[in-house]
Amino acid sequence: MNAFFLKLAALFYLAGSLSYLAYVVFMSEKAVSAGRFSLLFGFGVHLVGFLMRYFEAGYTPITNLFESLSFFSLAVVGVFLVVERRYRLKVLGAFVSPIAFILILFTAFLPSEIQTIPPALQSYWLPIHATLLFVGDAIFAVAFAAGIIYLIQERQLKRKKLGPLMRRLPPLDVLDEINHRCLTFGFPLLTVGIITGAIWAEYAWGSYWSWDPKETWSLITWLLYAALLHGRLTVGWRGRKAAILAIVGFGAVLFTFLGVNLLLPGLHSYASFGR
Amino acid sequence: MSKKSSESFFEKVWKFFASLRLAIPVLIILAVASIFGTIIEQNKPLEHYRRFYSESTIKILSKLGLFDMYHSWWFLLLLVLFAINLTCCTVDRLPNVFKVVRNPKRTLDEGMERSLSLVHRWRKKGKVEELREKFASALSQAFAKPVETYNSDVLHLYAERGAFSRFGVYITHVSILIVLVGAIIGNIWGFKGYVNIVEGDQISRVQTRGSKGIVDLGFAVRCNDFRIEYYPNGTPKEYISDLSVIEGGKEVLRKTIEVNDPLRYKGIWFYQSSYGTAGATNITVDVRKKEDGSLIKRLTLLPNQKVKVEGVGTISAVDFDPNLQGFGPALRVRVEGESGQPLSFWIFKNFPDFDKRRGQPFYLVFSGIDEIYYTGLQVAKDPGVNIVWVGCVFMVLGILVAFFGSHRRVWLKLVPQEGGRVEVVLAGAANRNRLAFEKTFQRLKEELSKV
């Protein structure tokens, strides 16, 4: 049953993506409200699906790739709705809603059955640790989108061509402000997420840090965002540099989440036990 | 002469280590360097690397310490550089922050008035002395209790909030140093090891990783029992070891541990980490009649022991799998009939009717096994871990204070003018989140103009 809600959410996210793209192409305000409502409904339906799965499974459903992708997409939409409300940045939707749609689309290719939860994941640290990190990652996804828009907008301004897209893109300083605010919320969440992971690891495996590829990549992400933070606060990395680092940083986020499991097989084995 | 040049040299070195121009490259180099250890598998035996790399590549990689990268001299050097940078930054800037916090600028001079972006001026009838109390109480109510300073006949009111937030950055930096200290202590005085205990046996020494070799625990740990619980679909639900701590020949502690629920004794932790079979005894197989399922004979077998059953043949148990393809415990039996080919096939504990399909007048049921397991325990002692946690707590607090705190300062200057008037100058500054402070300032402006 929860899978049905997930599919419905995916349709809403698709509708949201198309509406926001229609806004960029036709500059219609109606498209914006269609996009906003699609995402809002999609989020509601998705949340219901998540809660249903929570009660059906009896554990926080963030334990395998299917569930993680689904939750990540939920978090991205949630964070976007908050940011949109605050900054009224319609065009951000054209970049963020496709991210959410692609994430949830991937789940269609994965087994959706509720699986049994391996002993290593039976801990109350699972919901705390995973939720903190995915919300943090979703914030970084929004910063990534703002970074991409920044670079496009800057290019247009440099060419001094008033293209049709440009009028729809927000001013550079607003994009930079979003970049900064995202870092302000994303970085503490990433930090607390890594720390809760360390506490869990200490309690489950007897080692708070073992340079496991997943741990190491989360540290790499943390170091990159720390560099961006210091560049911003002290050397005055604004605008372009900050946008590029937000894009690179999100690359590291994605690699930590997906790349480590998919491209470095056999190294990371949180769920395996006993052989 | 020589003294002066050596001082300036020292200063140069100090400035280099205390600079942010160093901090950003160090952070990025640490990030990029860390990637190698995730691509090249760490701490594997040489044979493992031979499968992926040629001899000459192995030589180069091992020279560069890339097989144990995070403990290699160059990576540790990077961490040391990182720690020195953090220390110098903190020592360099902290005294100044103390000065600003303990002895803030309480008067608004002309230079500041020009440099601050939030300044508002208006005029008011009355005398400074009369207005003093009104403004002071209005400011206390709307923002914070001000400090009053008279500069000849000009009155300065100064109020601030969140001065402490200036320390956030340094709390965070020091917290990272605390974590590093905890890690070093753990590396020097702690150990990590691994031990297998067969059910019924006990151990008092543990083989550790690294240079410490075999460590004597000073007490013994006995594994009374190991068992696996399965979900209905046959996947493992829990691995459970029943452990006893024995000291001076007496059991002093008994605990059942699981994954995510370790045993701790005298600062040494025992974690459920793996398991295996150390052999099997007493396998029970029932031979039943197909017609009515009645028991022909109950066999108690040892592994590979052949037992003859009248009218059936010779039966032996040749293999065991605790969870064959997700169908739970399975036994491979070999039946040598009185005539014909010997047959071997699997029977399942969870599916007692499985063997009926063979279509013989009898069928075999796997009804139990007394398997001897060993439990694999990770053994760890880390006297630095609590220091690491203290560091983590400070890190979170420091980051929250640094990111969400803001040192907001407000000056109110009352300058007596001719004709019984007073010029009021309101100025404000915040070191973080200026947009939010602008709103606060607007509100203050409104509140104070009502005075």
Side-chain angles (χ1 to χ4, degrees):
Chain A
M1 195 58 191
N2 67 78
F4 167 75
F5 279 90
L6 234 59
K7 279 176 191 143
L8 203 60
L11 281 179
F12 274 120
Y13 293 166
L14 176 63
S17 307
L18 294 176
S19 307
Y20 275 112
L21 287 174
Y23 161 69
V24 172
V25 179
F26 305 114
M27 218 173 167
S28 123
E29 287 297 319
K30 271 183 192 157
V32 174
S33 39
R36 190 181 295 142
F37 277 112
S38 298
L39 288 192
L40 209 57
F41 281 127
F43 182 79
V45 167
H46 200 163
L47 193 65
V48 169
F50 176 82
L51 291 175
M52 281 177 71
R53 196 177 174 95
Y54 175 86
F55 288 112
E56 279 173 45
Y59 56 79
T60 314
I62 320 179
T63 62
N64 55 27
L65 196 54
F66 173 87
E67 292 170 345
S68 308
L69 281 167
S70 162
F71 186 72
F72 192 14
S73 132
L74 180 75
V76 167
V77 176
V79 168
F80 168 73
L81 288 171
V82 172
V83 173
E84 215 268 11
R85 219 184 131 77
R86 178 91 168 70
Y87 291 95
R88 291 279 154 206
L89 263 191
K90 303 153 197 165
V91 74
L92 202 59
F95 290 81
V96 177
S97 46
I99 295 177
F101 175 64
I102 290 167
L103 286 170
I104 203 169
L105 189 67
F106 275 126
T107 63
F109 304 105
L110 295 164
S112 69
E113 299 87 52
I114 290 172
Q115 289 161 359
T116 53
I117 181 172
L121 294 178
Q122 289 165 23
S123 165
Y124 49 79
W125 287 108
L126 166 69
I128 302 171
H129 172 66
T131 310
L132 285 170
L133 281 172
F134 276 116
V135 173
D137 286 359
I139 291 171
F140 288 134
V142 172
F144 161 81
I148 300 253
I149 300 171
Y150 187 99
L151 294 184
I152 295 173
Q153 177 71 318
E154 195 197 45
R155 230 175 106 104
Q156 298 218 359
L157 286 175
K158 270 194 186 147
R159 281 182 177 170
K160 296 195 176 138
K161 254 203 321 201
L162 273 163
L165 187 63
M166 197 195 129
R167 267 170 277 139
R168 257 148 268 181
L169 294 184
L172 290 178
D173 58 334
V174 175
L175 290 167
D176 197 47
E177 163 80 6
I178 289 179
N179 181 312
H180 178 55
R181 295 302 283 173
C182 284
L183 196 60
T184 311
F185 286 93
F187 192 74
L189 281 167
L190 178 62
T191 309
V192 181
I194 292 174
I195 290 174
T196 51
I199 298 171
W200 188 7
E202 172 70 21
Y203 206 63
W205 307 323
S207 177
Y208 56 84
W209 195 263
S210 20
W211 295 103
D212 163 283
K214 194 100 168 172
E215 287 172 356
T216 310
W217 269 97
S218 69
L219 179 69
I220 291 167
T221 311
W222 190 85
L223 289 168
L224 284 177
Y225 282 115
L228 170 57
L229 201 65
H230 285 81
R232 234 181 199 300
L233 292 178
T234 49
V235 202
W237 284 1
R238 295 281 138 99
R240 188 183 171 73
K241 267 190 181 164
I244 290 172
L245 257 171
I247 293 167
V248 173
F250 187 63
V253 165
L254 275 189
F255 196 85
T256 311
F257 172 38
L258 295 172
V260 170
N261 296 48
L262 303 177
L263 301 177
L264 303 175
L267 295 183
H268 181 65
S269 54
Y270 279 162
S272 85
F273 179 93
R275 287 162 295 279
Chain B
M1 161 76 199
S2 70
K3 199 185 169 199
K4 200 177 177 194
S5 81
S6 79
E7 254 182 26
S8 76
F9 172 74
F10 175 78
E11 267 175 22
K12 268 185 195 162
V13 172
W14 177 262
K15 277 215 174 107
F16 171 75
F17 279 116
S19 75
L20 272 148
R21 299 206 181 281
L22 179 65
I24 294 169
V26 166
L27 287 169
I28 291 179
I29 290 169
L30 262 176
V32 172
S34 299
I35 296 174
F36 293 106
T38 65
I39 298 168
I40 301 161
E41 288 186 72
Q42 300 288 295
N43 297 307
K44 292 279 170 273
L46 205 55
E47 300 84 66
H48 181 86
Y49 293 120
R50 288 213 174 99
R51 296 218 303 266
F52 300 99
Y53 309 109
S54 70
E55 274 313 314
S56 54
T57 316
I58 289 179
K59 227 178 216 168
I60 296 167
L61 293 178
S62 131
K63 265 250 169 69
L64 292 172
L66 285 169
F67 293 140
D68 189 13
M69 197 202 97
Y70 304 108
H71 303 100
S72 67
W73 63 269
W74 61 267
F75 193 78
L76 294 179
L77 195 70
L78 268 177
L79 284 177
V80 168
L81 193 63
F82 179 55
I84 290 175
N85 187 213
L86 275 172
T87 313
C88 292
C89 271
T90 309
V91 172
D92 199 47
R93 290 168 176 78
L94 202 53
N96 229 339
V97 177
F98 263 109
K99 225 186 267 169
V100 170
V101 170
R102 293 178 72 175
N103 197 8
K105 187 124 184 34
R106 295 187 178 94
T107 55
L108 185 70
D109 56 40
E110 305 233 329
M112 276 171 72
E113 227 180 290
R114 251 176 280 130
S115 67
L116 293 174
S117 60
L118 296 174
V119 182
H120 181 65
R121 290 185 187 78
W122 69 98
R123 275 156 200 268
K124 197 148 179 68
K125 264 190 184 162
K127 283 188 174 152
V128 170
E129 198 44 46
E130 294 164 5
L131 294 172
R132 182 184 68 97
E133 206 158 313
K134 282 184 188 164
F135 274 111
S137 73
L139 196 55
S140 313
Q141 247 174 21
F143 184 68
K145 198 173 151 47
V147 184
E148 295 167 21
T149 316
Y150 271 106
N151 207 339
S152 63
D153 52 353
V154 178
L155 173 67
H156 296 262
L157 299 179
Y158 169 75
E160 63 176 4
R161 289 180 78 170
F164 182 74
S165 72
R166 289 197 181 261
F167 290 109
V169 176
Y170 304 98
I171 295 173
T172 311
H173 286 178
V174 171
S175 78
I176 294 172
L177 293 171
I178 295 174
V179 168
L180 290 175
V181 167
I184 291 168
I185 290 173
N187 267 301
I188 296 175
W189 288 291
F191 64 80
K192 274 193 191 84
Y194 190 84
V195 69
N196 289 335
I197 316 176
V198 176
E199 286 176 301
D201 281 2
Q202 63 182 56
I203 55 96
S204 58
R205 287 197 283 189
V206 172
Q207 175 69 47
T208 62
R209 268 177 256 147
S211 56
K212 290 193 188 69
I214 292 171
V215 168
D216 199 329
L217 298 175
F219 55 87
V221 175
R222 185 175 66 211
C223 176
N224 305 309
D225 184 33
F226 175 84
R227 65 179 192 277
I228 310 172
E229 282 175 3
Y230 294 95
Y231 287 108
N233 71 358
T235 55
K237 186 180 179 190
E238 201 51 86
Y239 304 95
I240 300 160
S241 296
D242 176 2
L243 301 180
S244 291
V245 176
I246 293 150
E247 201 171 17
K250 272 188 294 189
E251 181 182 89
V252 288
L253 183 66
R254 184 166 182 164
K255 185 179 158 104
T256 305
I257 68 162
E258 310 174 345
V259 184
N260 277 315
D261 187 16
L263 161 77
R264 182 177 186 229
Y265 188 70
K266 290 200 167 164
I268 301 174
W269 292 83
F270 298 84
Y271 302 87
Q272 184 66 61
S273 171
S274 69
Y275 74 99
T277 46
T281 57
N282 296 345
I283 304 153
T284 319
V285 173
D286 292 344
V287 186
R288 291 181 181 274
K289 235 184 221 155
K290 197 184 174 188
E291 290 164 12
D292 53 359
S294 64
L295 189 68
I296 300 173
K297 192 165 188 189
R298 166 160 283 193
L299 306 174
T300 305
L301 302 167
L302 288 171
N304 295 316
Q305 178 199 17
K306 291 180 179 178
V307 174
K308 206 167 165 153
V309 181
E310 210 56 50
V312 174
T314 312
I315 297 172
S316 58
V318 291
D319 197 2
F320 170 72
D321 192 317
N323 188 12
L324 184 69
Q325 292 173 355
F327 292 112
L331 186 73
R332 193 172 173 82
V333 288
R334 188 180 154 94
V335 180
E336 291 162 61
E338 276 149 355
S339 61
Q341 289 286 331
L343 261 176
S344 69
F345 51 89
W346 288 97
I347 50 178
F348 295 87
K349 197 171 168 222
N350 297 346
F351 306 97
D353 292 341
F354 186 72
D355 192 36
K356 278 186 182 169
R357 300 181 320 161
R358 269 196 315 131
Q360 295 284 322
F362 63 91
Y363 67 100
L364 302 180
V365 179
F366 175 27
S367 58
I369 185 167
D370 286 339
E371 211 186 355
I372 301 174
Y373 286 104
Y374 66 80
T375 181
L377 302 178
Q378 168 111 0
V379 186
K381 183 183 167 182
D382 189 345
V385 71
N386 285 328
I387 296 170
V388 170
W389 298 146
V390 168
C392 286
V393 169
F394 278 112
M395 198 185 297
V396 175
L397 289 178
I399 285 178
L400 290 180
V401 167
F403 278 46
F404 299 104
S406 164
H407 187 195
R408 288 149 292 165
R409 295 178 290 172
V410 170
W411 294 268
L412 188 80
K413 188 161 78 166
L414 300 177
V415 190
Q417 306 261 301
E418 285 167 16
R421 281 167 177 271
V422 168
E423 190 195 29
V424 187
V425 185
L426 177 70
N431 68 335
R432 289 260 195 290
N433 205 356
R434 296 198 174 88
L435 281 177
F437 182 68
E438 267 173 41
K439 283 181 194 150
T440 313
F441 190 78
Q442 291 303 326
R443 198 173 42 84
L444 264 180
K445 217 161 84 180
E446 282 161 28
E447 290 289 317
L448 292 173
S449 4
K450 282 185 218 151
V451 168

